[in-house]
């Protein structure tokens, strides 16, 4: 008996428009989700949304000005995108139930069971707190010329020179000036100890400096064939990403420093970020690809295979940021042809959400204290946008730069953000709030929901 | 009918949330037993809803379900829970075989204003009993699950819900070309729960 039949038009529209979000997982199935007889696929339909679109959506269009707050506009915009699951979050319990045959003892995450914070909205100053000059900064999207180390010293590469600015006293000093033929400097990254710093050059070498002694410790050569535009540290491993599309893990303690090579990108690697656990590496390239590499799939000699290859972006992926409060959640931003911020579950490779920001996304930063995401943009506003997560409502837009905000980092205390642009300014923003006592997650509960057993 | 005593029939938001999450716990256990996800010997009989209900004795599964129901209860009280889905997948391939979909409609007036509703306990029990019977009898038409399976539970919530760290974002784990059967629903006058099971078409049916 034939079970496939005519789709009702409302539901077919929904499944079609579901595809941007659904693409990832539907590829695993042999045929597309199909609907049936009189009853459309209820388990995938959102009746509330359908009702809203049929009745209230019209009212909304006629009165756009009436009681519109930014959240309402964002909400309306999201509905207008006609993406089905936009209002809904789908959550699964992190610790899966044991599989039937073996009796696995589940270790339950000692949960930081966050009570819903009911703090008043903090004031976010709309202008930069401080502006410094950054002459000769290279206006190239694919470089990473700014970093703020854990010792509270900010380093910025201007042309062939790397400068250091001590945030505690405002003192500036020069670390190194590279020779013309080797420069300009294409990337800088502080090591986790806040003392050592890696400097990537246009000639494909990477220099390792001790900033307190002002001494060059070693130069990593022979790995890349062209400039090194992206760097990230994972303890003693320095990962370098080059214009040749290679990503190399270097163990800086060892003479033969090349430990592993990740091959997957076929154009310049411009974004490189290790997850907080150091287990996964996210890399973005000019080839519009976003790769997730996992250390547990390491192989000694042959080039390592990626865990996920995510092709949803339609422009270069430079902005990458791992979520500090939710494991396996990665935010990525696309360049001028894409302009979207996408959220990924790096465990399954599923795209959880995609938001069109309207402007090239150059950098992304998560707020360590609140559930917020900051993105920096280019044409036309050159603004920094603060989003509430997960609703993706715009909380603030900070303007001031007069050209695209290519580089953005945050201070070690997580309160200040520094941004630099081709307009040769380095600006500081108090966007993440004032330093206060960090909310200690209540780890006293041994059983996460022990206090919730109620009897009617 | 005997005369109803007024106090017994008042349902508060908290009480309704407890009823629904408790229902879910028993329904999940029943599904696990009837579909053979866990061996029959690992279940014990208890009396509930006027029926002999089977509850798993496996510590891991028990605590998974109890944590789940506690969290569902919390979400139900805020009115942010839209549906709960119990997914049955192949252990080997992760392919989804069955989806037990419990959609929840919350009376937002109760959530916002904190009023309570009236409905007889007995009647709610009767409605739940009907659903439990249907779940048990579903094995007559659901395709056999030949290979070892695992289950998972998805919660569809509103976007602005603050999820505790033990919950991660997930994809919907849909079935392509599903067959669907709608079961009875029950209503506490504050939460209305609809049950639907969708399953993968058996190759025979084509």
């Amino acid at each position: 008996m034939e079970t496939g039949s005519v789709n009702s038009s409302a539901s077919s529209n929904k499944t079609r428009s579901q595809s941007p979000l659904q693409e990832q997982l539907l590829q695993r199935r042999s045929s597309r989700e199909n609907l049936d007889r009189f009853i459309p696929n209820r388990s995938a339909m959102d009746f509330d949304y359908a009702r809203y679109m049929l009745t209230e959506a019209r009212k909304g269009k006629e009165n756009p000005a009436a009681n519109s707050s930014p959240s309402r506009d964002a909400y309306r915009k999201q509905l207008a995108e006609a993406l089905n699951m936009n209002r809904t979050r789908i959550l699964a319990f992190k610790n899966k139930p044991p599989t039937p045959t073996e009796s696995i003892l589940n270790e339950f995450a000692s949960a930081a069971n966050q009570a819903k914070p009911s703090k008043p909205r903090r004031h976010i100053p709309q202008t930069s707190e401080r502006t410094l000059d950054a002459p000769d900064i290279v206006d190239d999207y694919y470089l990473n010329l700014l970093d703020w180390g854990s010792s509270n010293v900010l380093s910025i590469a201007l042309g062939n020179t790397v400068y250091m600015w001590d945030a505690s006293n405002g003192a500036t000093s020069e670390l190194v000036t590279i020779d013309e033929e080797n420069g300009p400097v294409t990337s800088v990254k502080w090591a986790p100890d806040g003392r050592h710093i890696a400097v990537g050059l246009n000639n494909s070498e990477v220099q390792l400096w001790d900033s307190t002694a002002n001494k060059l410790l070693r130069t990593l050569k022979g790995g890349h064939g062209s400039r090194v535009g992206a760097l990230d540290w994972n303890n003693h491993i320095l990962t370098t990403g080059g214009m040749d599309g290679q990503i190399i893990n270097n163990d800086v303690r060892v003479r033969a420093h090349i430990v592993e090579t990740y091959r997957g990108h076929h154009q310049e690697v411009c974004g490189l970020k290790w997850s907080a656990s150091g287990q996964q590496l996210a890399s973005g390239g000019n080839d519009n690809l976003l790769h997730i590499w996992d250390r547990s799939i390491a192989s000694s000699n042959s080039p390592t295979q990626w865990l996920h290859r995510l092709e949803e972006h339609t422009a270069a992926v430079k902005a990458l940021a791992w979520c500090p409060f939710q494991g396996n959640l990665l935010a990525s931003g696309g360049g001028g042809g894409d302009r979207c911020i996408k959220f990924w579950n790096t465990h399954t490779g599923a795209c959880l959400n995609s938001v069109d920001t309207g402007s090239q996304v150059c950098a992304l930063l998560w707020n360590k204290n609140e559930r917020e995401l900051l993105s920096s943009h280019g044409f036309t506003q050159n603004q920094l946008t603060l989003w509430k997560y997960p609703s993706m409502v715009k909380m603030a837009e900070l303007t001031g730069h007069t050209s695209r905000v290519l580089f953005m980092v945050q201070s070690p205390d997580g309160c200040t953000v520094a941004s630099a642009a081709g307009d040769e300014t380095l600006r500081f923003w108090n966007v993440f709030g004032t330093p206060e006592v960090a909310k200690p997650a209540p780890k006293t509960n041994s059983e996460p929901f022990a206090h919730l057993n109620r009897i009617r | 009918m005997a005369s109803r005593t007024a106090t017994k029939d008042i349902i508060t938001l908290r009480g309704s949330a407890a009823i629904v999450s408790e229902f879910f716990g028993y329904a999940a256990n029943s599904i696990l037993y009837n579909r053979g996800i866990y061996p029959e010997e690992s279940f014990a009989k208890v009396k509930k809803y006027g029926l002999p209900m089977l509850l798993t004795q496996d510590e891991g599964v028990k605590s998974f379900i109890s944590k789940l129901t506690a969290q569902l209860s919390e979400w139900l009280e805020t009115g942010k829970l839209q549906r709960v889905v119990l997914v049955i997948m192949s252990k080997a391939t992760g392919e989804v075989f069955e989806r037990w979909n419990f959609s929840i409609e919350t009376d937002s007036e109760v959530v916002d204003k904190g009023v309570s509703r009236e409905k007889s306990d007995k009647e709610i029990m009767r409605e739940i009993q009907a659903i439990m019977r249907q779940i048990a009898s579903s094995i007559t038409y659901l395709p056999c699950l030949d290979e070892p399976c695992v289950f998972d539970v998805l919660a569809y919530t509103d976007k602005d819900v603050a999820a505790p760290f033990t919950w991660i974002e997930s994809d919907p784990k849909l079935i392509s070309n599903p067959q669907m059967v709608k079961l009875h629903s029950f209503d506490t006058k504050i939460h209305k729960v609809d049950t639907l099971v969708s399953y993968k078409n058996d190759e025979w049916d084509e």
Side-chain angles (χ1 to χ4, degrees):
Chain A
M1 181 145 81
E2 264 304 303
T3 48
S5 71
V6 180
N7 300 345
S8 69
S9 58
S11 54
S12 83
N13 276 344
K14 284 206 183 30
T15 44
R16 290 295 169 273
S17 55
Q18 258 181 9
S19 22
L21 253 170
Q22 300 278 39
E23 215 70 79
Q24 194 68 17
L25 56 92
L26 279 179
Q27 275 159 17
R28 284 191 235 131
R29 317 251 184 271
S30 49
S31 57
R32 279 231 39 193
E33 167 124 34
N34 226 326
L35 311 172
D36 185 24
R37 32 184 208 250
F38 319 108
I39 311 173
N41 187 2
R42 278 207 192 139
S43 57
M45 260 182 76
D46 191 344
F47 282 115
D48 296 331
Y49 169 53
R51 202 192 312 140
Y52 180 88
M53 283 304 286
L54 287 172
T55 56
E56 283 163 55
R58 247 174 265 129
K59 280 191 235 159
K61 273 185 216 149
E62 284 157 29
N63 308 324
N67 49 297
S68 59
S69 62
S71 52
R72 223 151 189 251
D73 283 340
Y75 184 64
R76 213 175 278 133
K77 238 178 264 168
Q78 286 196 330
L79 287 178
E81 277 174 35
L83 277 177
N84 198 4
M85 293 304 195
N86 233 344
R87 276 175 44 221
T88 311
R89 283 179 90 177
I90 305 176
L91 299 166
F93 199 62
K94 189 173 178 177
N95 290 309
K96 300 300 169 192
T99 49
T101 43
E102 316 106 76
S103 58
I104 304 170
L105 286 169
N106 266 337
E107 338 95 45
F108 301 107
S110 61
N113 195 358
Q114 285 224 8
K116 217 172 187 170
S118 52
K119 287 164 76 176
R121 266 202 171 172
R122 70 174 186 279
H123 168 65
I124 300 166
Q126 300 279 345
T127 52
S128 53
E129 183 215 340
R130 193 202 283 252
T131 307
L132 302 179
D133 269 336
D136 296 330
I137 191 167
V138 182
D139 186 12
D140 188 331
Y141 180 85
Y142 303 100
L143 308 183
N144 289 283
L145 303 179
L146 187 63
D147 195 27
W148 203 325
S150 56
S151 51
N152 209 13
V153 177
L154 184 132
S155 75
I156 183 168
L158 304 177
N160 296 330
T161 312
V162 179
Y163 290 96
M164 300 201 298
W165 183 78
D166 191 335
S168 39
N169 57 17
T172 312
S173 61
E174 187 184 306
L175 176 69
V176 59
T177 300
I178 313 289
D179 296 333
E180 275 289 328
E181 69 252 16
N182 297 332
V185 177
T186 50
S187 52
V188 289
K189 196 81 185 175
W190 286 97
D193 64 0
R195 179 183 163 144
H196 297 93
I197 182 168
V199 179
L201 303 181
N202 194 39
N203 69 353
S204 83
E205 293 177 358
V206 179
Q207 296 185 346
L208 224 57
W209 284 81
D210 178 338
S211 65
T212 41
N214 249 344
K215 197 168 146 236
L216 172 64
L217 296 175
R218 72 183 290 188
T219 307
L220 305 176
K221 304 185 199 195
H224 289 283
S226 38
R227 76 179 180 189
V228 177
L231 298 169
D232 200 13
W233 286 88
N234 183 358
N235 289 329
H236 52 262
I237 302 279
L238 171 65
T239 307
T240 57
M243 196 178 203
D244 53 9
Q246 284 184 90
I247 298 169
I248 300 180
N249 281 341
N250 301 280
D251 184 336
V252 299
R253 309 166 302 184
V254 176
R255 192 179 161 76
H257 52 88
I258 298 182
V259 174
E260 227 169 342
T261 307
Y262 294 144
R263 280 181 234 275
H265 286 286
H266 36 85
Q267 284 188 56
E268 177 156 28
V269 178
C270 44
L272 214 55
K273 280 276 156 56
W274 280 100
S275 65
S277 61
Q279 191 60 26
Q280 291 186 323
L281 173 70
S283 69
N286 194 27
D287 46 13
N288 306 353
L289 296 176
L290 167 60
H291 284 110
I292 309 288
W293 312 87
D294 197 309
R295 293 197 83 180
S296 48
I297 321 181
S299 62
S300 52
N301 294 320
S302 53
T304 311
Q305 179 67 315
W306 58 81
L307 178 64
H308 296 295
R309 171 180 263 196
L310 307 167
E311 309 185 29
E312 264 87 338
H313 280 290
T314 56
V317 182
K318 179 186 177 192
L320 295 170
W322 291 91
C323 182
F325 51 82
Q326 194 160 347
N328 294 322
L329 178 64
L330 174 72
S332 65
D338 177 274
R339 302 178 298 274
C340 287
I341 299 176
K342 292 187 196 279
F343 296 90
W344 311 89
N345 176 331
T346 58
H347 194 56
T348 61
C351 179
L352 305 167
N353 196 2
S354 177
V355 179
D356 188 340
T357 65
S359 169
Q360 161 191 66
V361 183
C362 305
L364 285 172
L365 283 177
W366 288 93
N367 186 339
K368 292 183 195 156
N369 298 323
E370 306 281 344
R371 299 192 170 198
E372 294 165 358
L373 180 66
L374 183 70
S375 60
S376 76
H377 298 273
F379 186 76
T380 52
Q381 303 258 16
N382 310 313
Q383 83 278 23
L384 276 71
T385 308
L386 185 67
W387 310 82
K388 187 91 192 113
Y389 185 80
S391 58
M392 290 311 278
V393 168
K394 272 190 207 174
M395 288 179 62
E397 281 197 338
L398 312 175
T399 48
H401 279 292
T402 52
S403 95
R404 51 192 186 162
V405 188
L406 294 172
F407 317 110
M408 189 168 69
V409 289
Q410 62 178 312
S411 60
D413 64 7
C415 296
T416 314
V417 167
S419 65
D423 60 4
E424 299 186 334
T425 58
L426 172 64
R427 289 172 197 260
F428 293 85
W429 315 80
N430 276 344
V431 60
F432 284 159
T434 47
E436 45 174 304
V437 179
K439 288 193 289 198
K443 287 193 173 67
T444 49
N445 288 343
S446 49
E447 268 270 298
F449 302 102
H451 61 288
L452 283 183
N453 272 334
R454 278 183 290 261
I455 304 179
R456 180 163 23 119
Chain B
M1 284 303 289
S3 60
R4 292 176 267 155
T5 48
T7 46
K8 242 182 128 182
D9 297 339
I10 298 214
I11 313 271
T12 61
L13 177 62
R14 184 170 279 203
S16 176
I19 296 179
V20 176
S21 53
E22 194 182 43
F23 158 77
F24 183 75
Y26 281 95
N29 268 287
S30 174
I31 295 171
L32 295 177
Y33 173 77
N34 281 301
R35 303 306 287 136
I37 311 289
Y38 293 95
E40 294 177 358
E41 315 82 66
S42 62
F43 288 83
K45 248 186 233 185
V46 301
K47 233 266 125 211
K48 184 81 185 167
Y49 307 124
L51 293 169
M53 300 292 305
L54 288 138
L55 288 183
T56 179
Q57 300 303 297
D58 181 321
E59 282 310 317
V61 184
K62 241 207 266 196
S63 59
F64 177 84
I65 293 187
S66 65
K67 283 212 178 79
L68 200 66
T69 47
Q71 180 62 63
L72 292 181
S73 185
E74 209 183 298
W75 278 331
L76 282 164
E77 284 188 27
T78 61
K80 300 245 185 257
L81 188 63
Q82 294 171 6
R83 59 172 100 170
V84 184
V85 179
L86 188 139
V87 181
I88 297 181
M89 311 173 281
S90 154
K91 179 166 153 184
T93 66
E95 190 190 352
V96 182
F97 288 135
E98 268 172 35
R99 265 181 126 242
W100 291 81
N101 184 91
F102 301 88
S103 328
I104 299 164
E105 243 177 71
T106 312
D107 187 344
S108 47
E109 197 194 342
V110 178
V111 178
D112 296 333
K113 303 202 190 126
V115 298
S116 44
R117 298 268 185 254
E118 261 189 41
K119 184 157 178 181
S120 126
D121 253 3
K122 260 205 176 139
E123 183 150 349
I124 300 180
M125 288 307 128
R126 247 209 313 259
E127 292 176 2
I128 295 182
Q129 200 193 83
I131 303 179
M132 291 304 184
R133 282 193 207 271
Q134 278 193 312
I135 294 178
S137 63
S138 67
I139 56 174
T140 56
Y141 56 83
L142 290 174
C144 279
L145 296 172
D146 297 319
E147 38 175 303
C149 291
V150 290
F151 80 101
D152 197 0
V153 179
L154 305 175
Y156 286 54
T157 61
D158 284 350
K159 260 259 153 76
D160 53 355
V161 134
F165 290 131
T166 42
W167 289 79
I168 52 172
E169 307 268 356
S170 169
D171 57 292
K173 302 204 198 297
L174 298 169
I175 305 179
S176 47
N177 276 326
Q179 286 273 49
M180 274 163 293
V181 179
K182 187 173 186 317
L183 305 181
H184 289 322
S185 46
F186 79 94
D187 189 3
T188 63
K189 287 274 186 287
I190 298 181
H191 295 104
K192 181 165 185 291
V193 179
D194 283 309
T195 314
L196 177 87
V197 58
S198 47
Y199 55 95
K200 187 165 170 258
N201 259 327
D202 230 359
E203 269 72 53
W204 291 56
D205 284 0
E206 299 300 333

